[in-house]
Amino acid sequence: MLKSISAPLIVLLLTSWTLAAEPNKYLKQAHEVTEHINDTFFDPASGVYRKYADKPKLDYVWLQSVAFANLVAAARNEPEVYGPQLEKYFTALDGYWDDKVEIPGYEAAPTQGNGSDKYYDDNAWMAITLIEAYETNEKPAYLKRADETLDFVLSGWDDEIGGGIWWHQNHKDGTKNTCANGPSAVACLQLAKFQKEDSAELVDWAKKIVDWTCNALQDDDGLFDDRVVVKTGEIKRGKLTYNTALIIRAQLGLYRATGDEKYLEQAKRLGKASDWFLDAQTGVYRDALRYAHFMVEADLELYRTTKEPYLLDRARRNVDAWYQDWNADKPNDMMTNACLGRALWLMGEAESEQGQAFWNHSDELGMKE
């Protein structure tokens, strides 16, 4: 009987049977990974996470932002277990917050407020997560800090080479990067859902940022190169999943905020183009997990809008492969573990009524009235 069924259909049938046999599989795996992170990397003295399991050095704020995003999702699904930890962690992240400068922001490493060079992309990631934290528990402190953080991010825009947000505050690298502009646009659109008096301005910011990034850094295949050297105009090639992923999310946010179908069409185009990132043999993203997990998040967000099955299948295939690898050999760095935990929570929410309700409501908040 099975000989007459195609191989892809067999895989689909087996996957469906496995899901039916393992209800809440991804949420259980997410809990397992998150507990491992807490047991292995948490530093009680600082309240944040160490970079490596066997070294005392605290991790940088960008990597802490992924741990923060993992805890936000964990607290949404298991509030009694992770809600108190999320609150303490948010407070502990003040150790990176420099409020002794004209425009406060998060520094890369723990600070005494000495005005060190800050990364605009670090702060954009933090802003996105702070807004999601506010959506999760409605505590005003999260929204206030998100607003402050985004003020810093947008201060990184200037009109040199036609616009764009710098990577470093002090322009140390001399570049404007997709990784700074993509998440900045997403943060603007996320905050616009809750800052109604400023929503039009924030949507305009997102349009401006996305337009500049597409003009400056989008290749002919639709995917995004890494950065442009401002002084020379040289494009630094190299396509990473997280760059395209954040533009997909920004295009979706603009579609919801404006109702303009062109943004949805661009997001769909980028979704299809992102097959380029897949390994031909395994169907898993070639990038390191620190980049690729952002594409799973974009796949799930695009799936909520288009309901195209390939997006859910692609996300599930990646998350299953990542968990299998983790179970066989747990990584020694905090961020890889946190990226997996975050992806598992999101995959679980994509299959649970509670999770679907949260994300559908989040999307609806961003829709044009």
Side-chain angles (χ1 to χ4, degrees), residues 26-27 30-31 34 65-83 85-86 89 128-137 142 293 297 300 338-350 352 354-355 358-359:
Y26 293 113
L27 295 178
H31 177 92
T34 302
S65 76
V66 179
F68 189 19
N70 182 58
L71 279 178
V72 170
R76 192 161 55 245
N77 288 277
E78 299 184 34
E80 293 184 359
V81 177
Y82 295 112
Q85 184 183 351
L86 176 64
Y89 186 62
I128 292 170
T129 305
L130 286 160
I131 297 162
E132 186 185 323
Y134 175 74
E135 287 188 83
T136 297
N137 63 21
Y142 293 108
H293 86 283
E297 189 156 358
L300 294 175
C339 292
L340 174 60
R342 170 73 176 176
L344 286 165
W345 288 116
L346 294 177
M347 197 70 239
E349 289 183 320
S352 73
Q354 177 183 329
F358 173 84
W359 286 110

Side-chain angles (χ1 to χ4, degrees), residues 51 59-68 290 334-335 338:
K51 185 175 180 66
D59 220 333
Y60 293 111
V61 77
W62 176 47
L63 297 89
Q64 299 286 356
S65 76
V66 179
F68 189 19
R290 66 175 52 202
M334 185 278 292
M335 188 180 188

